[in-house]
Short mmCIF file of all heavy atoms in Angstrom, two decimals:
data_model
loop_
_atom_site.label_atom_id
_atom_site.label_comp_id
_atom_site.label_asym_id
_atom_site.label_seq_id
_atom_site.Cartn_x
_atom_site.Cartn_y
_atom_site.Cartn_z
N VAL A 104 84.94 88.88 108.02
CA VAL A 104 84.12 87.65 107.86
C VAL A 104 84.97 86.38 108.04
O VAL A 104 84.52 85.45 108.58
CB VAL A 104 83.54 87.62 106.38
CG1 VAL A 104 82.86 86.37 106.07
CG2 VAL A 104 82.60 88.86 106.19
N SER A 105 86.24 86.46 107.62
CA SER A 105 87.08 85.33 107.70
C SER A 105 88.61 85.77 107.52
O SER A 105 88.81 86.90 107.04
CB SER A 105 86.76 84.34 106.55
OG SER A 105 87.64 83.22 106.60
N TYR A 106 89.43 84.94 107.97
CA TYR A 106 90.86 85.22 107.78
C TYR A 106 91.61 83.89 107.83
O TYR A 106 91.06 82.87 108.29
CB TYR A 106 91.47 86.19 108.78
CG TYR A 106 91.53 85.62 110.20
CD1 TYR A 106 92.70 84.99 110.66
CD2 TYR A 106 90.46 85.71 111.05
CE1 TYR A 106 92.77 84.52 111.95
CE2 TYR A 106 90.52 85.20 112.36
CZ TYR A 106 91.72 84.62 112.77
OH TYR A 106 91.74 84.07 114.01
N ALA A 107 92.80 83.88 107.32
CA ALA A 107 93.69 82.70 107.44
C ALA A 107 95.13 83.15 107.45
O ALA A 107 95.50 84.19 106.91
CB ALA A 107 93.45 81.78 106.25
N VAL A 108 95.99 82.37 108.17
CA VAL A 108 97.41 82.64 108.15
C VAL A 108 98.05 81.41 107.57
O VAL A 108 97.79 80.31 107.96
CB VAL A 108 97.87 82.83 109.60
CG1 VAL A 108 99.40 83.00 109.69
CG2 VAL A 108 97.20 83.97 110.30
N CYS A 109 98.86 81.64 106.54
CA CYS A 109 99.54 80.52 105.86
C CYS A 109 100.99 80.92 105.60
O CYS A 109 101.30 82.09 105.42
CB CYS A 109 98.84 80.30 104.53
SG CYS A 109 97.17 79.83 104.66
N GLY A 110 101.85 79.95 105.56
CA GLY A 110 103.23 80.17 105.26
C GLY A 110 103.57 79.53 103.92
O GLY A 110 102.99 78.61 103.50
N VAL A 111 104.58 80.07 103.23
CA VAL A 111 105.07 79.55 102.03
C VAL A 111 106.63 79.56 102.10
O VAL A 111 107.23 80.26 102.89
CB VAL A 111 104.65 80.34 100.84
CG1 VAL A 111 103.16 80.29 100.60
CG2 VAL A 111 105.10 81.79 100.85
N PRO A 112 107.28 78.73 101.24
CA PRO A 112 108.73 78.72 101.26
C PRO A 112 109.34 80.08 100.96
O PRO A 112 108.71 80.89 100.22
CB PRO A 112 109.12 77.75 100.13
CG PRO A 112 107.87 76.89 99.98
CD PRO A 112 106.74 77.77 100.30
N PRO A 113 110.50 80.40 101.50
CA PRO A 113 111.03 81.79 101.29
C PRO A 113 111.24 82.16 99.85
O PRO A 113 111.18 83.29 99.50
CB PRO A 113 112.40 81.69 102.06
CG PRO A 113 112.35 80.53 102.90
CD PRO A 113 111.30 79.63 102.36
N GLU A 114 111.49 81.13 99.01
CA GLU A 114 111.76 81.42 97.58
C GLU A 114 110.49 82.00 96.91
O GLU A 114 110.61 82.65 95.85
CB GLU A 114 112.12 80.15 96.83
CG GLU A 114 113.34 79.41 97.36
CD GLU A 114 112.94 78.49 98.54
OE1 GLU A 114 112.00 77.66 98.44
OE2 GLU A 114 113.63 78.57 99.52
N ILE A 115 109.34 81.77 97.47
CA ILE A 115 108.08 82.29 96.86
C ILE A 115 107.33 83.16 97.88
O ILE A 115 106.10 83.14 97.89
CB ILE A 115 107.23 81.19 96.28
CG1 ILE A 115 106.81 80.12 97.32
CG2 ILE A 115 107.94 80.54 95.08
CD1 ILE A 115 105.75 79.16 96.91
N MET A 116 108.03 83.82 98.76
CA MET A 116 107.37 84.60 99.80
C MET A 116 106.28 85.48 99.36
O MET A 116 105.28 85.69 99.98
CB MET A 116 108.43 85.34 100.67
CG MET A 116 109.30 86.34 99.93
SD MET A 116 108.39 87.89 99.68
CE MET A 116 109.47 88.69 98.53
N GLY A 117 106.40 86.08 98.19
CA GLY A 117 105.35 86.99 97.71
C GLY A 117 104.08 86.33 97.32
O GLY A 117 103.08 86.97 97.09
N CYS A 118 104.15 84.99 97.23
CA CYS A 118 102.91 84.28 96.86
C CYS A 118 102.14 83.79 98.10
O CYS A 118 101.15 83.07 97.97
CB CYS A 118 103.30 83.07 96.01
SG CYS A 118 103.94 83.58 94.40
N GLY A 119 102.50 84.27 99.28
CA GLY A 119 101.77 83.93 100.48
C GLY A 119 100.28 84.24 100.47
O GLY A 119 99.48 83.55 101.04
N PRO A 120 99.90 85.32 99.78
CA PRO A 120 98.44 85.65 99.67
C PRO A 120 97.62 84.48 99.07
O PRO A 120 96.46 84.39 99.31
CB PRO A 120 98.39 86.96 98.86
CG PRO A 120 99.72 87.57 99.11
CD PRO A 120 100.71 86.42 99.23
N ILE A 121 98.23 83.73 98.21
CA ILE A 121 97.49 82.68 97.46
C ILE A 121 96.86 81.67 98.41
O ILE A 121 95.66 81.52 98.47
CB ILE A 121 98.30 82.02 96.35
CG1 ILE A 121 98.74 83.05 95.31
CG2 ILE A 121 97.59 80.89 95.67
CD1 ILE A 121 99.85 82.55 94.39
N PRO A 122 97.65 80.96 99.23
CA PRO A 122 97.00 80.03 100.14
C PRO A 122 96.20 80.74 101.25
O PRO A 122 95.15 80.18 101.75
CB PRO A 122 98.18 79.22 100.76
CG PRO A 122 99.39 80.11 100.57
CD PRO A 122 99.09 80.92 99.34
N ALA A 123 96.60 81.94 101.67
CA ALA A 123 95.88 82.61 102.73
C ALA A 123 94.46 82.99 102.27
O ALA A 123 93.46 82.80 102.95
CB ALA A 123 96.65 83.80 103.24
N ILE A 124 94.41 83.58 101.10
CA ILE A 124 93.10 84.01 100.54
C ILE A 124 92.26 82.77 100.20
O ILE A 124 91.06 82.76 100.51
CB ILE A 124 93.30 84.86 99.28
CG1 ILE A 124 93.91 86.26 99.70
CG2 ILE A 124 92.06 85.06 98.57
CD1 ILE A 124 94.37 87.11 98.55
N THR A 125 92.85 81.81 99.63
CA THR A 125 92.10 80.60 99.35
C THR A 125 91.55 79.99 100.57
O THR A 125 90.27 79.61 100.56
CB THR A 125 93.05 79.52 98.65
OG1 THR A 125 93.58 80.11 97.45
CG2 THR A 125 92.33 78.30 98.26
N GLU A 126 92.24 79.88 101.63
CA GLU A 126 91.73 79.30 102.89
C GLU A 126 90.69 80.19 103.58
O GLU A 126 89.67 79.73 104.03
CB GLU A 126 92.87 79.05 103.89
CG GLU A 126 92.45 78.44 105.24
CD GLU A 126 91.77 77.10 105.09
OE1 GLU A 126 91.99 76.34 104.12
OE2 GLU A 126 90.95 76.72 106.06
N ALA A 127 90.90 81.53 103.59
CA ALA A 127 89.93 82.42 104.16
C ALA A 127 88.59 82.35 103.41
O ALA A 127 87.54 82.36 104.05
CB ALA A 127 90.51 83.90 104.13
N LEU A 128 88.65 82.32 102.09
CA LEU A 128 87.47 82.21 101.31
C LEU A 128 86.72 80.87 101.61
O LEU A 128 85.47 80.81 101.73
CB LEU A 128 87.73 82.34 99.79
CG LEU A 128 88.11 83.75 99.30
CD1 LEU A 128 88.62 83.71 97.90
CD2 LEU A 128 86.99 84.75 99.51
N LYS A 129 87.51 79.82 101.68
CA LYS A 129 86.91 78.49 101.97
C LYS A 129 86.22 78.48 103.29
O LYS A 129 85.06 78.00 103.45
CB LYS A 129 88.06 77.40 101.93
CG LYS A 129 87.60 76.03 102.24
CD LYS A 129 88.76 75.10 102.23
CE LYS A 129 88.41 73.73 102.79
NZ LYS A 129 89.60 72.89 102.94
N ARG A 130 86.84 79.08 104.35
CA ARG A 130 86.20 79.12 105.66
C ARG A 130 84.94 79.95 105.67
O ARG A 130 84.00 79.70 106.47
CB ARG A 130 87.20 79.79 106.65
CG ARG A 130 88.43 78.91 106.99
CD ARG A 130 89.35 79.62 107.96
NE ARG A 130 90.56 78.87 108.12
CZ ARG A 130 91.57 79.25 108.94
NH1 ARG A 130 91.50 80.42 109.54
NH2 ARG A 130 92.60 78.49 109.09
N ALA A 131 84.82 80.89 104.80
CA ALA A 131 83.66 81.79 104.74
C ALA A 131 82.62 81.30 103.70
O ALA A 131 81.61 81.89 103.51
CB ALA A 131 84.08 83.20 104.41
N ASN A 132 82.98 80.16 103.05
CA ASN A 132 82.08 79.67 101.98
C ASN A 132 81.88 80.68 100.90
O ASN A 132 80.74 80.89 100.43
CB ASN A 132 80.73 79.16 102.61
CG ASN A 132 80.03 78.23 101.63
OD1 ASN A 132 80.70 77.55 100.76
ND2 ASN A 132 78.71 78.14 101.71
#
Side-chain angles (χ1 to χ4, degrees):
V104 175
S105 179
Y106 69 93
V108 177
C109 299
V111 296
E114 305 83 48
I115 59 167
M116 59 81 193
C118 294
I121 298 167
I124 290 170
T125 301
E126 181 61 25
L128 289 170
K129 179 181 169 188
R130 291 178 184 178
N132 197 27

